[in-house]
Amino acid sequence: MHLILQRLLNHAKTTTGRAQLVAVGAACFWGSWGFWMNISHGWRIALMVGLTQGTLNFVTNLIGTHILEFFFFRFSTQPWVQAPLAFFGTYSITLSVIFAAHLAVGTPELFLTLAPSISVSMVLTVIYIGGVIKLKIERKADTAEGSPAEEPTP
């Protein structure tokens, strides 16, 4: 048991490991939230909504960072362009998928199910973008001083 715990802790020290742990946590938390917000419509509907919400949160947490960094680094080198492009580009994709999936399964309490999750996600995204900008600025300063250049990947 100790060996398994040690491996999990070591895995959590990697970017992939952290992304996976956050994705599992988000799936459990927001899937449960979706279930409880829709339980008044019957357990089958609530279960379907909870599974949909949990799955969507798992997937968007795993790939959302990659989408965000694609938009951030691909189209501009100016932070004042990169930040809004990364934010709105990421959310145009993820929210389209999230709303389409919930409409497809017939989520009765769409607003109550999605608003908290999306609100928290947007705040965390702004913080993450701020961190990427800060890291980019620090790396640019290091490069100017003679340190080897490297793309920022928090």
Side-chain angles (χ1 to χ4, degrees):
M1 183 66 162
H2 176 54
L3 183 61
I4 293 170
L5 183 59
Q6 187 60 44
R7 284 185 179 177
L8 282 173
L9 290 173
N10 287 339
H11 187 58
K13 293 177 183 176
T14 67
T15 301
T16 300
R18 285 189 301 275
Q20 290 169 345
L21 287 173
V22 168
V24 168
C28 293
F29 183 82
W30 293 114
S32 298
W33 175 267
F35 178 86
W36 288 113
M37 290 300 100
N38 292 276
I39 193 66
S40 63
H41 298 279
W43 73 270
R44 287 186 178 150
I45 290 173
L47 183 61
M48 180 62 71
V49 170
L51 289 172
T52 301
Q53 182 71 352
T55 300
L56 289 167
N57 272 272
F58 181 81
V59 171
T60 57
N61 273 277
L62 277 181
I63 66 169
T65 300
H66 298 290
I67 294 170
L68 185 143
E69 289 188 7
F70 171 80
F71 280 108
F72 189 90
F73 292 113
R74 180 73 172 199
F75 301 105
S76 178
T77 58
Q78 301 299 316
W80 61 273
V81 174
Q82 290 173 303
L85 189 59
F87 183 87
F88 291 111
T90 301
Y91 280 98
S92 66
I93 292 170
T94 58
L95 290 181
S96 297
V97 171
I98 289 169
F99 277 103
H102 277 286
L103 290 173
V105 299
T107 300
E109 300 295 339
L110 192 60
F111 180 77
L112 290 174
T113 301
L114 297 180
S117 170
I118 292 169
S119 299
V120 169
S121 175
M122 286 182 168
V123 169
L124 294 174
T125 298
V126 168
I127 292 168
Y128 186 84
I129 290 171
V132 172
I133 291 170
K134 182 177 182 248
L135 186 57
K136 180 181 175 181
I137 291 168
E138 289 171 358
R139 295 234 172 120
K140 188 175 183 179
D142 287 347
T143 303
E145 295 172 6
S147 299
E150 196 176 305
E151 268 299 298
T153 51

